[in-house]
PDB file of all heavy atoms in Angstrom:
ATOM      1  N   LYS A   4       0.837   7.916   2.075  1.00  0.00           N
ATOM      2  CA  LYS A   4       0.594   9.315   1.806  1.00  0.00           C
ATOM      3  C   LYS A   4       1.620  10.101   2.222  1.00  0.00           C
ATOM      4  O   LYS A   4       2.283   9.921   3.293  1.00  0.00           O
ATOM      5  CB  LYS A   4      -0.834   9.721   2.264  1.00  0.00           C
ATOM      6  CG  LYS A   4      -1.930   9.158   1.554  1.00  0.00           C
ATOM      7  CD  LYS A   4      -3.193   9.727   2.006  1.00  0.00           C
ATOM      8  CE  LYS A   4      -4.427   9.154   1.298  1.00  0.00           C
ATOM      9  NZ  LYS A   4      -5.655   9.743   1.669  1.00  0.00           N
ATOM     10  N   PHE A  19      -4.171  32.256  -1.898  1.00  0.00           N
ATOM     11  CA  PHE A  19      -5.034  33.475  -2.251  1.00  0.00           C
ATOM     12  C   PHE A  19      -4.364  34.808  -1.864  1.00  0.00           C
ATOM     13  O   PHE A  19      -4.545  35.794  -2.610  1.00  0.00           O
ATOM     14  CB  PHE A  19      -6.330  33.401  -1.305  1.00  0.00           C
ATOM     15  CG  PHE A  19      -7.329  34.419  -1.565  1.00  0.00           C
ATOM     16  CD1 PHE A  19      -8.194  34.275  -2.679  1.00  0.00           C
ATOM     17  CD2 PHE A  19      -7.473  35.431  -0.795  1.00  0.00           C
ATOM     18  CE1 PHE A  19      -9.100  35.298  -2.893  1.00  0.00           C
ATOM     19  CE2 PHE A  19      -8.531  36.552  -0.970  1.00  0.00           C
ATOM     20  CZ  PHE A  19      -9.218  36.295  -2.076  1.00  0.00           C
ATOM     21  N   ILE A  20      -3.515  34.768  -0.749  1.00  0.00           N
ATOM     22  CA  ILE A  20      -2.775  36.002  -0.602  1.00  0.00           C
ATOM     23  C   ILE A  20      -1.805  36.286  -1.674  1.00  0.00           C
ATOM     24  O   ILE A  20      -1.717  37.456  -2.223  1.00  0.00           O
ATOM     25  CB  ILE A  20      -2.021  35.821   0.811  1.00  0.00           C
ATOM     26  CG1 ILE A  20      -2.958  35.875   1.954  1.00  0.00           C
ATOM     27  CG2 ILE A  20      -1.049  36.898   0.943  1.00  0.00           C
ATOM     28  CD1 ILE A  20      -2.372  35.503   3.401  1.00  0.00           C
ATOM     29  N   TRP A  21      -1.224  35.263  -2.244  1.00  0.00           N
ATOM     30  CA  TRP A  21      -0.227  35.476  -3.185  1.00  0.00           C
ATOM     31  C   TRP A  21      -0.825  36.075  -4.529  1.00  0.00           C
ATOM     32  O   TRP A  21      -0.351  37.007  -5.162  1.00  0.00           O
ATOM     33  CB  TRP A  21       0.544  34.163  -3.643  1.00  0.00           C
ATOM     34  CG  TRP A  21       1.155  34.214  -4.972  1.00  0.00           C
ATOM     35  CD1 TRP A  21       0.888  33.557  -6.048  1.00  0.00           C
ATOM     36  CD2 TRP A  21       2.337  34.976  -5.269  1.00  0.00           C
ATOM     37  NE1 TRP A  21       1.772  33.951  -7.093  1.00  0.00           N
ATOM     38  CE2 TRP A  21       2.733  34.682  -6.664  1.00  0.00           C
ATOM     39  CE3 TRP A  21       3.270  35.737  -4.502  1.00  0.00           C
ATOM     40  CZ2 TRP A  21       3.754  35.297  -7.236  1.00  0.00           C
ATOM     41  CZ3 TRP A  21       4.364  36.440  -5.122  1.00  0.00           C
ATOM     42  CH2 TRP A  21       4.561  36.149  -6.494  1.00  0.00           C
ATOM     43  N   THR A  23      -3.796  37.455  -4.814  1.00  0.00           N
ATOM     44  CA  THR A  23      -4.532  38.824  -4.600  1.00  0.00           C
ATOM     45  C   THR A  23      -3.754  39.993  -4.287  1.00  0.00           C
ATOM     46  O   THR A  23      -4.099  41.043  -4.652  1.00  0.00           O
ATOM     47  CB  THR A  23      -5.594  38.631  -3.538  1.00  0.00           C
ATOM     48  OG1 THR A  23      -6.450  37.277  -3.843  1.00  0.00           O
ATOM     49  CG2 THR A  23      -6.617  39.777  -3.416  1.00  0.00           C
ATOM     50  N   GLN A  37       7.952  40.897  -0.081  1.00  0.00           N
ATOM     51  CA  GLN A  37       7.110  41.059   0.997  1.00  0.00           C
ATOM     52  C   GLN A  37       5.865  40.357   0.953  1.00  0.00           C
ATOM     53  O   GLN A  37       5.408  39.882   1.944  1.00  0.00           O
ATOM     54  CB  GLN A  37       6.945  42.579   1.220  1.00  0.00           C
ATOM     55  CG  GLN A  37       8.204  43.297   1.706  1.00  0.00           C
ATOM     56  CD  GLN A  37       8.014  44.689   1.820  1.00  0.00           C
ATOM     57  OE1 GLN A  37       8.144  45.534   0.881  1.00  0.00           O
ATOM     58  NE2 GLN A  37       7.754  45.262   3.018  1.00  0.00           N
ATOM     59  N   VAL A  38       5.327  40.190  -0.338  1.00  0.00           N
ATOM     60  CA  VAL A  38       4.067  39.349  -0.372  1.00  0.00           C
ATOM     61  C   VAL A  38       4.443  37.960  -0.207  1.00  0.00           C
ATOM     62  O   VAL A  38       3.491  37.188   0.287  1.00  0.00           O
ATOM     63  CB  VAL A  38       3.388  39.708  -1.786  1.00  0.00           C
ATOM     64  CG1 VAL A  38       4.017  38.981  -2.850  1.00  0.00           C
ATOM     65  CG2 VAL A  38       1.860  39.200  -1.659  1.00  0.00           C
ATOM     66  N   PRO A  55       9.429  30.380  18.077  1.00  0.00           N
ATOM     67  CA  PRO A  55       9.494  31.762  17.529  1.00  0.00           C
ATOM     68  C   PRO A  55      10.765  32.039  16.759  1.00  0.00           C
ATOM     69  O   PRO A  55      10.697  32.768  15.729  1.00  0.00           O
ATOM     70  CB  PRO A  55       9.403  32.677  18.683  1.00  0.00           C
ATOM     71  CG  PRO A  55       8.819  31.860  19.845  1.00  0.00           C
ATOM     72  CD  PRO A  55       9.251  30.499  19.585  1.00  0.00           C
ATOM     73  N   ARG A  58      10.427  30.596  13.321  1.00  0.00           N
ATOM     74  CA  ARG A  58       9.474  31.357  12.532  1.00  0.00           C
ATOM     75  C   ARG A  58      10.117  32.543  11.954  1.00  0.00           C
ATOM     76  O   ARG A  58       9.929  32.990  10.797  1.00  0.00           O
ATOM     77  CB  ARG A  58       8.292  31.778  13.308  1.00  0.00           C
ATOM     78  CG  ARG A  58       7.373  30.562  13.785  1.00  0.00           C
ATOM     79  CD  ARG A  58       5.924  31.083  14.148  1.00  0.00           C
ATOM     80  NE  ARG A  58       5.963  31.965  15.263  1.00  0.00           N
ATOM     81  CZ  ARG A  58       5.782  31.520  16.496  1.00  0.00           C
ATOM     82  NH1 ARG A  58       5.723  30.197  16.803  1.00  0.00           N
ATOM     83  NH2 ARG A  58       5.766  32.407  17.449  1.00  0.00           N
ATOM     84  N   LYS A  63      12.425  35.632   7.426  1.00  0.00           N
ATOM     85  CA  LYS A  63      13.658  36.351   6.810  1.00  0.00           C
ATOM     86  C   LYS A  63      14.072  35.748   5.588  1.00  0.00           C
ATOM     87  O   LYS A  63      14.474  36.500   4.659  1.00  0.00           O
ATOM     88  CB  LYS A  63      14.819  36.361   7.910  1.00  0.00           C
ATOM     89  CG  LYS A  63      14.640  37.264   9.138  1.00  0.00           C
ATOM     90  CD  LYS A  63      15.806  37.238  10.148  1.00  0.00           C
ATOM     91  CE  LYS A  63      15.638  38.109  11.312  1.00  0.00           C
ATOM     92  NZ  LYS A  63      16.747  37.998  12.182  1.00  0.00           N
ATOM     93  N   PHE A  68      14.707  39.024  -1.971  1.00  0.00           N
ATOM     94  CA  PHE A  68      14.284  39.529  -3.291  1.00  0.00           C
ATOM     95  C   PHE A  68      13.644  38.384  -4.125  1.00  0.00           C
ATOM     96  O   PHE A  68      14.084  37.281  -4.223  1.00  0.00           O
ATOM     97  CB  PHE A  68      15.490  39.953  -4.064  1.00  0.00           C
ATOM     98  CG  PHE A  68      15.296  40.495  -5.498  1.00  0.00           C
ATOM     99  CD1 PHE A  68      15.044  41.842  -5.659  1.00  0.00           C
ATOM    100  CD2 PHE A  68      15.216  39.588  -6.544  1.00  0.00           C
ATOM    101  CE1 PHE A  68      14.652  42.271  -6.937  1.00  0.00           C
ATOM    102  CE2 PHE A  68      15.022  40.008  -7.785  1.00  0.00           C
ATOM    103  CZ  PHE A  68      14.736  41.357  -8.014  1.00  0.00           C
ATOM    104  N   PHE A  75       2.156  32.241 -13.519  1.00  0.00           N
ATOM    105  CA  PHE A  75       3.090  31.218 -13.938  1.00  0.00           C
ATOM    106  C   PHE A  75       4.134  30.908 -12.855  1.00  0.00           C
ATOM    107  O   PHE A  75       4.614  29.757 -12.713  1.00  0.00           O
ATOM    108  CB  PHE A  75       3.825  31.522 -15.268  1.00  0.00           C
ATOM    109  CG  PHE A  75       2.997  31.360 -16.491  1.00  0.00           C
ATOM    110  CD1 PHE A  75       1.938  32.188 -16.737  1.00  0.00           C
ATOM    111  CD2 PHE A  75       3.187  30.218 -17.295  1.00  0.00           C
ATOM    112  CE1 PHE A  75       1.228  31.919 -17.926  1.00  0.00           C
ATOM    113  CE2 PHE A  75       2.412  29.984 -18.470  1.00  0.00           C
ATOM    114  CZ  PHE A  75       1.399  30.847 -18.753  1.00  0.00           C
ATOM    115  N   GLN A  89       8.918  20.289   4.576  1.00  0.00           N
ATOM    116  CA  GLN A  89       9.744  19.128   4.790  1.00  0.00           C
ATOM    117  C   GLN A  89      11.008  19.471   5.701  1.00  0.00           C
ATOM    118  O   GLN A  89      11.312  18.637   6.584  1.00  0.00           O
ATOM    119  CB  GLN A  89      10.346  18.722   3.451  1.00  0.00           C
ATOM    120  CG  GLN A  89       9.309  18.067   2.490  1.00  0.00           C
ATOM    121  CD  GLN A  89       8.663  16.936   2.933  1.00  0.00           C
ATOM    122  OE1 GLN A  89       9.210  16.004   3.513  1.00  0.00           O
ATOM    123  NE2 GLN A  89       7.276  16.823   3.024  1.00  0.00           N
ATOM    124  N   ASP A 134     -13.949  44.188 -29.931  1.00  0.00           N
ATOM    125  CA  ASP A 134     -14.822  44.151 -31.129  1.00  0.00           C
ATOM    126  C   ASP A 134     -16.262  43.880 -30.695  1.00  0.00           C
ATOM    127  O   ASP A 134     -17.265  44.415 -31.318  1.00  0.00           O
ATOM    128  CB  ASP A 134     -14.400  42.956 -32.104  1.00  0.00           C
ATOM    129  CG  ASP A 134     -13.168  43.193 -32.876  1.00  0.00           C
ATOM    130  OD1 ASP A 134     -12.933  44.474 -33.054  1.00  0.00           O
ATOM    131  OD2 ASP A 134     -12.614  42.310 -33.358  1.00  0.00           O
ATOM    132  N   ASN A 142     -22.896  48.995 -25.994  1.00  0.00           N
ATOM    133  CA  ASN A 142     -22.714  47.550 -25.653  1.00  0.00           C
ATOM    134  C   ASN A 142     -21.652  47.362 -24.569  1.00  0.00           C
ATOM    135  O   ASN A 142     -20.429  47.699 -24.882  1.00  0.00           O
ATOM    136  CB  ASN A 142     -22.428  46.667 -26.814  1.00  0.00           C
ATOM    137  CG  ASN A 142     -22.428  45.217 -26.526  1.00  0.00           C
ATOM    138  OD1 ASN A 142     -22.401  44.814 -25.337  1.00  0.00           O
ATOM    139  ND2 ASN A 142     -22.631  44.417 -27.618  1.00  0.00           N
ATOM    140  N   ASN A 206      -6.032  46.191 -37.408  1.00  0.00           N
ATOM    141  CA  ASN A 206      -7.464  46.546 -37.101  1.00  0.00           C
ATOM    142  C   ASN A 206      -7.471  47.886 -36.369  1.00  0.00           C
ATOM    143  O   ASN A 206      -8.607  48.620 -36.333  1.00  0.00           O
ATOM    144  CB  ASN A 206      -8.113  45.483 -36.235  1.00  0.00           C
ATOM    145  CG  ASN A 206      -8.567  44.253 -37.066  1.00  0.00           C
ATOM    146  OD1 ASN A 206      -9.527  44.360 -37.713  1.00  0.00           O
ATOM    147  ND2 ASN A 206      -7.746  43.228 -37.077  1.00  0.00           N
ATOM    148  N   TYR A 207      -6.441  48.239 -35.605  1.00  0.00           N
ATOM    149  CA  TYR A 207      -6.552  49.352 -34.731  1.00  0.00           C
ATOM    150  C   TYR A 207      -5.542  50.572 -34.915  1.00  0.00           C
ATOM    151  O   TYR A 207      -5.789  51.543 -34.326  1.00  0.00           O
ATOM    152  CB  TYR A 207      -6.366  48.868 -33.233  1.00  0.00           C
ATOM    153  CG  TYR A 207      -7.492  47.842 -32.795  1.00  0.00           C
ATOM    154  CD1 TYR A 207      -7.234  46.484 -32.726  1.00  0.00           C
ATOM    155  CD2 TYR A 207      -8.782  48.219 -32.583  1.00  0.00           C
ATOM    156  CE1 TYR A 207      -8.271  45.616 -32.360  1.00  0.00           C
ATOM    157  CE2 TYR A 207      -9.785  47.406 -32.197  1.00  0.00           C
ATOM    158  CZ  TYR A 207      -9.502  46.014 -32.108  1.00  0.00           C
ATOM    159  OH  TYR A 207     -10.518  45.235 -31.873  1.00  0.00           O
ATOM    160  N   VAL A 216      -4.194  62.478 -57.389  1.00  0.00           N
ATOM    161  CA  VAL A 216      -3.803  63.173 -58.589  1.00  0.00           C
ATOM    162  C   VAL A 216      -5.053  63.294 -59.535  1.00  0.00           C
ATOM    163  O   VAL A 216      -5.599  62.223 -59.995  1.00  0.00           O
ATOM    164  CB  VAL A 216      -2.715  62.330 -59.227  1.00  0.00           C
ATOM    165  CG1 VAL A 216      -2.235  63.076 -60.591  1.00  0.00           C
ATOM    166  CG2 VAL A 216      -1.555  62.238 -58.364  1.00  0.00           C
ATOM    167  N   THR A 227      -5.546  53.940 -52.542  1.00  0.00           N
ATOM    168  CA  THR A 227      -6.219  52.791 -53.031  1.00  0.00           C
ATOM    169  C   THR A 227      -5.564  52.229 -54.275  1.00  0.00           C
ATOM    170  O   THR A 227      -5.435  51.153 -54.512  1.00  0.00           O
ATOM    171  CB  THR A 227      -7.774  53.019 -53.339  1.00  0.00           C
ATOM    172  OG1 THR A 227      -7.905  54.085 -54.373  1.00  0.00           O
ATOM    173  CG2 THR A 227      -8.474  53.431 -52.131  1.00  0.00           C
ATOM    174  N   ILE A 237      -0.288  49.255 -45.425  1.00  0.00           N
ATOM    175  CA  ILE A 237       1.117  49.600 -45.317  1.00  0.00           C
ATOM    176  C   ILE A 237       1.487  50.760 -44.584  1.00  0.00           C
ATOM    177  O   ILE A 237       2.488  50.871 -43.819  1.00  0.00           O
ATOM    178  CB  ILE A 237       1.769  49.729 -46.799  1.00  0.00           C
ATOM    179  CG1 ILE A 237       3.266  49.663 -46.633  1.00  0.00           C
ATOM    180  CG2 ILE A 237       1.233  51.023 -47.419  1.00  0.00           C
ATOM    181  CD1 ILE A 237       3.971  49.733 -48.032  1.00  0.00           C
ATOM    182  N   TRP A 255      13.564  56.583 -27.266  1.00  0.00           N
ATOM    183  CA  TRP A 255      12.721  57.625 -27.001  1.00  0.00           C
ATOM    184  C   TRP A 255      11.790  57.328 -25.823  1.00  0.00           C
ATOM    185  O   TRP A 255      11.234  56.073 -25.789  1.00  0.00           O
ATOM    186  CB  TRP A 255      11.830  58.062 -28.302  1.00  0.00           C
ATOM    187  CG  TRP A 255      12.708  58.927 -29.246  1.00  0.00           C
ATOM    188  CD1 TRP A 255      14.013  58.904 -29.403  1.00  0.00           C
ATOM    189  CD2 TRP A 255      12.040  59.902 -30.097  1.00  0.00           C
ATOM    190  NE1 TRP A 255      14.277  59.838 -30.479  1.00  0.00           N
ATOM    191  CE2 TRP A 255      13.166  60.471 -30.982  1.00  0.00           C
ATOM    192  CE3 TRP A 255      10.797  60.335 -30.409  1.00  0.00           C
ATOM    193  CZ2 TRP A 255      13.070  61.487 -31.811  1.00  0.00           C
ATOM    194  CZ3 TRP A 255      10.657  61.254 -31.385  1.00  0.00           C
ATOM    195  CH2 TRP A 255      11.633  61.889 -32.053  1.00  0.00           C
ATOM    196  N   GLY A 272      -2.962  66.217 -41.471  1.00  0.00           N
ATOM    197  CA  GLY A 272      -4.400  66.541 -41.696  1.00  0.00           C
ATOM    198  C   GLY A 272      -4.529  67.919 -42.387  1.00  0.00           C
ATOM    199  O   GLY A 272      -5.436  68.063 -43.070  1.00  0.00           O
TER     200      GLY A 272
END
Side-chain angles (χ1 to χ4, degrees):
K4 286 188 176 181
F19 185 79
I20 290 172
W21 164 251
T23 309
Q37 286 175 281
V38 75
R58 292 201 298 268
K63 286 181 180 179
F68 180 93
F75 280 75
Q89 293 300 311
D134 281 342
N142 189 343
N206 284 284
Y207 297 106
V216 179
T227 57
I237 192 171
W255 278 31

